[in-house]
Amino acid sequence: MNKRRIDEIGIRYVESLKLYEEYAARIRNLIQDLVEVEGVEFYAIEGWAEPPAELLHILSTLEEKDLAGVDLVTIRVLLRFPADVLRIEELVKSEFDIDSSRSLPSDSGTLKDPKRFGYPAVVYILSLSRSRSTLKEWAKYKDLNFRLEIRTMLQEVWATILPKVTQTVGKNSEEEFTRELFLLGAMLEKADKGFLTLRNEIKEEALLVPPSPSAKKVEQVNAETLFTDEELYTLFRDNNSLLVHWNNAAVNAGFPEFTPDADYLRESFKNLCSIFRASGIDTISEVKIFLDDMDSEDKGFRQLKTLHDTFRDNSKWRVDPFSALFLLVLNFKWDRLKDKDLTALGIKRGSDRISGID
């Protein structure tokens, strides 16, 4: 493709980048909520819009006719066991429209071919279903599609390492190298199935050993209750580094430095309690899981950076550490919050307060 055409596409993409980044975040949250409701165990769910520089590089290698194959938003679901791939596929088929011509489901001939090369993952090219795209909060994304990659953790290892290895292969050793990769891919696939077999065997053995009455009693006693404001406050008080961490994350993401007084901080904490409960994060364990998830691979920081970059006029924003977490809950749990009365719950007021709206 000629440079002028590449530049034209690149400029249009940069102009719409915020929309694609927002779409990636919304779709990622939606898929996570759907997966959690189904009870599928996952390692991570990631989502991103293609960086402009990477898009330009991709375009430079393509012909004009291949533009339809460029995916601007990607969501990746990383699973522990291959059997869970089928459960995600069933979920996808019921919730989204599928571009079958560009998708690679698990029952495709390519993945079932015993002579295939490598250890490829399941891929779907999806768009919003008609019923979802007619909803007001999704309408602006109705013409956008996204690429969904469903991988086990071992497939992710393969996909990550393979490009770094293949780029150093010379012509003379290419045939032998290809054979070795074929063997390694087969070994990883066998390992994936082996772990699944072990998990199923352990489950079957567990079913043969009924829990004792005393075990049931302990389980009931240890059942976790909904947190109180005081319990949540104790969590942050005993882990003061959490507040320092998220305050620094907000500043590093670009939000203005802000030192709240005690009253402002107290109000921010109350708003955080409210949005945790409204989003279904209502035990201390669930709060800890959410905080760990936000800290994993700088997920929370990257989202704060996206929020900062999305809202250009953010000089009036007042983001203290509790407010930073409030924004992350609002974003990552939006699909659980959107149908609730956010005004009555005080969440809209809390959001306006952070953005400096009186």
Side-chain angles (χ1 to χ4, degrees), residues 6 11 25 33 86 90 97 123 131 145 157 161 172 242 253 280 335 337:
I6 292 173
I11 290 171
D33 281 347
L86 297 176
E90 290 303 312
D97 288 343
V123 174
S131 59
N145 60 20
V157 170
I161 294 177
N172 296 333
L242 283 173
D335 271 86
L337 293 167

Side-chain angles (χ1 to χ4, degrees), residues 303-316:
Q303 186 55 48
L304 289 173
K305 184 70 168 63
T306 299
L307 285 170
H308 171 270
D309 295 344
T310 300
F311 298 95
R312 298 177 184 276
D313 184 17
N314 49 41
S315 59
K316 295 182 179 179

Side-chain angles (χ1 to χ4, degrees), residues 77-329:
V77 179
L78 298 180
L79 302 167
R80 289 186 169 86
F81 301 104
D84 291 330
V85 172
L86 297 176
R87 298 176 66 186
I88 302 297
E89 285 188 279
E90 290 303 312
L91 187 64
V92 163
K93 291 173 184 177
S94 66
E95 294 288 341
F96 299 97
D97 288 343
I98 302 172
D99 182 347
S100 301
S101 65
R102 296 181 54 215
S103 297
L104 192 65
S106 59
D107 60 358
S108 68
T110 301
L111 291 186
K112 286 192 169 185
D113 184 0
K115 296 182 180 180
R116 74 177 187 273
F117 172 73
Y119 187 30
V122 168
V123 174
Y124 282 89
I125 306 302
L126 304 170
S127 56
L128 297 175
S129 65
R130 181 179 179 83
S131 59
R132 192 178 297 277
S133 64
T134 56
L135 298 175
K136 184 177 181 180
E137 62 270 23
W138 287 98
K140 62 180 175 180
Y141 312 118
K142 67 178 181 179
D143 296 323
L144 304 180
N145 60 20
F146 65 96
R147 174 186 177 91
L148 176 66
E149 299 175 352
I150 310 172
R151 299 178 176 178
T152 64
M153 293 168 65
L154 288 181
Q155 284 174 322
E156 175 68 0
V157 170
W158 171 268
T160 302
I161 294 177
L162 184 62
K164 298 183 182 299
V165 175
T166 54
Q167 65 187 8
T168 60
V169 179
K171 290 271 186 184
N172 296 333
S173 58
E174 186 172 351
E175 184 175 341
E176 181 180 353
F177 179 78
T178 299
R179 182 174 179 276
E180 289 296 324
L181 282 180
F182 186 93
L183 293 173
L184 286 172
M187 290 169 62
L188 283 174
E189 185 170 2
K190 188 172 182 179
D192 243 347
K193 293 178 180 178
F195 282 125
L196 177 62
T197 300
L198 286 175
R199 182 185 72 164
N200 291 339
E201 288 177 355
I202 291 171
K203 281 186 174 180
E204 289 174 4
E205 289 181 4
L207 290 174
L208 299 176
V209 183
S212 65
S214 60
K216 290 183 179 179
K217 184 177 180 181
V218 170
E219 186 175 87
Q220 291 171 356
V221 170
N222 290 336
E224 192 171 6
T225 57
L226 306 183
F227 70 73
T228 63
D229 287 12
E230 183 178 353
E231 288 171 333
L232 187 61
Y233 177 78
T234 299
L235 171 66
F236 287 107
R237 184 195 63 196
D238 294 345
N239 298 273
N240 189 56
S241 59
L242 283 173
L243 299 182
V244 175
H245 173 71
W246 289 111
N247 188 71
N248 290 340
V251 173
N252 292 334
F255 290 106
E257 291 192 34
F258 173 60
T259 305
D261 59 28
D263 288 339
Y264 189 94
L265 201 59
R266 189 177 299 111
E267 185 69 20
S268 293
F269 173 72
K270 289 181 179 178
N271 290 338
L272 180 60
C273 291
S274 297
I275 198 169
F276 268 144
R277 293 187 178 104
S279 64
I281 304 173
D282 47 19
T283 69
I284 293 298
S285 292
E286 289 170 339
V287 171
K288 289 179 178 178
I289 290 171
F290 178 79
L291 293 174
D292 288 343
D293 184 41
M294 291 300 98
D295 208 26
S296 173
E297 300 179 353
D298 289 333
K299 185 186 299 183
F301 167 74
R302 288 188 283 110
Q303 186 55 48
L304 289 173
K305 184 70 168 63
T306 299
L307 285 170
H308 171 270
D309 295 344
T310 300
F311 298 95
R312 298 177 184 276
D313 184 17
N314 49 41
S315 59
K316 295 182 179 179
W317 283 53
R318 298 168 291 182
V319 184
D320 58 67
F322 293 131
S323 299
L325 291 172
F326 179 99
L327 292 172
L328 294 178
V329 177

Side-chain angles (χ1 to χ4, degrees), residues 271 273-279 326 329-330 334 337 340-354:
N271 290 338
C273 291
S274 297
I275 198 169
F276 268 144
R277 293 187 178 104
S279 64
F326 179 99
V329 177
L330 184 63
W334 175 248
L337 293 167
K340 298 187 177 184
D341 189 340
L342 301 185
T343 301
L345 292 170
I347 292 173
K348 184 181 185 304
R349 178 174 52 80
S351 177
D352 289 346
R353 177 173 174 269
I354 294 171

Side-chain angles (χ1 to χ4, degrees), residues 20-21 24-25 46-51 72-76 149 302:
Y20 285 104
E21 289 178 334
E46 307 165 332
W48 64 90
E50 197 68 46
L72 301 177
V73 169
T74 300
I75 308 296
R76 181 176 297 156
E149 299 175 352
R302 288 188 283 110

